[in-house]
Amino acid sequence: MTYKLIAIDIDDTLINDDKQVTPATQAALEEAVAAGVVVTLATGRAYASAKQLAAQTGLNVPIITYQGALVKNLLDGKVLLERHVPVEAALKLGEYCKEHNLHLQTYIDDKLYAREENEKLIAYAQLNNTRFYIEPDFEKLFSQPTPKMLIIDDPAFLDELAPKLHELLGDQVHITKSKPHFLEIMHKEGTKGHALAFLADYFGCTLEESIAIGDSWNDHEMLEAAGLGVAMGNAIEPLKAIADFISASNNEDGVKVVIDKFVLNK
């Protein structure tokens, strides 16, 4: 199979535990692009955060952000695909989190907002290298278009919360975990798999000609959609179970391993 499109998750996939793209992985990305392959990023991060890292790697393509709720060009900032959390669902979620004293964040115009500043918000902003804004009248934001809302809490608690939110919000939203303590809520089509299918069509290739590489459960839709679904060596076990190939870890240039083996045929 000749692969024409590669979608790569960022955190714990493309970047190592030091939050760096290694020179070896960077060289592999450049070789893939030189060979005519479209290399893109597929992340739960906001566009502004993902754009910083994409610029470092020299990529100049549309990238998948907010779990697939926003696909946007790096070169000119043109929006190619956008899906917002339905207003009714956003209002219900906001009310539920307020009643149960849960930490909820939302994004408006690519800016991160929360009701109050706390350790969860500060740590999240540092992790994603992004600014945050405080809006005490948080509910007024929920009628504005948002690609993603996020609850931060204990992993076990979030596992119990997810089915409750599914029941509360219905099938108009997609709920996933990007990391054990991050529960993310998007439009029902806000998945990396949906966005990958969109980009395959955009670039004139089939999903069978695409590779998806990830480490967390929010990557499973794109691994299942792609012709070759790759789980990193450090991926969670449920993702490894559905992967077509398990690569090395993010600290062992796992992305380079995939490009060398399946694209460059080294």
Side-chain angles (χ1 to χ4, degrees), residues 43-210:
T43 180
R45 291 188 185 212
Y47 175 78
S49 175
K51 181 180 180 181
Q52 297 173 33
L53 197 132
Q56 294 174 30
T57 62
L59 297 178
N60 190 20
V61 293
I63 58 173
I64 298 167
T65 61
Y66 294 110
Q67 307 296 7
L70 178 67
V71 178
K72 192 172 179 179
N73 274 344
L74 284 171
L75 183 62
D76 59 8
K78 181 182 178 182
V79 173
L80 302 182
L81 176 71
E82 193 168 22
R83 296 288 185 269
H84 296 127
V85 177
V87 172
E88 180 185 359
L91 290 169
K92 283 184 179 179
L93 180 62
E95 183 178 350
Y96 183 93
C97 290
K98 186 176 183 180
E99 288 178 357
H100 294 82
N101 196 31
L102 300 177
H103 175 73
L104 178 66
Q105 303 174 179
T106 190
Y107 285 87
I108 307 293
D109 293 330
D110 220 29
K111 294 178 181 178
L112 174 62
Y113 286 90
R115 186 189 309 277
E116 59 185 10
E117 183 174 334
N118 57 31
E119 291 181 0
K120 292 176 180 177
L121 177 62
I122 294 170
Y124 180 88
Q126 289 177 342
L127 178 67
N128 290 280
N129 192 27
T130 188
R131 285 185 62 184
F132 61 81
Y133 300 83
I134 303 301
E135 177 51 71
D137 187 9
F138 204 38
E139 287 73 15
K140 80 175 187 180
L141 297 177
F142 298 152
S143 61
Q144 299 182 51
T146 177
K148 182 175 81 169
M149 303 175 81
L150 183 146
I151 299 170
I152 300 177
D153 216 303
D154 176 74
F157 172 77
L158 292 180
D159 288 340
E160 296 177 0
L161 178 63
K164 296 177 182 177
L165 293 185
H166 272 295
E167 185 175 347
L168 174 69
L169 305 177
D171 61 2
Q172 56 184 332
V173 300
H174 170 62
I175 301 174
T176 192
K177 291 178 83 173
S178 57
K179 296 300 172 199
H181 45 294
F182 296 163
L183 190 68
E184 310 199 357
I185 300 92
M186 285 73 52
H187 183 277
K188 64 181 179 181
E189 293 180 354
T191 75
K192 294 183 182 183
H194 184 270
L196 180 64
F198 172 84
L199 280 184
D201 182 68
Y202 181 82
F203 286 110
C205 66
T206 66
L207 279 169
E208 287 70 29
E209 295 171 314
S210 70

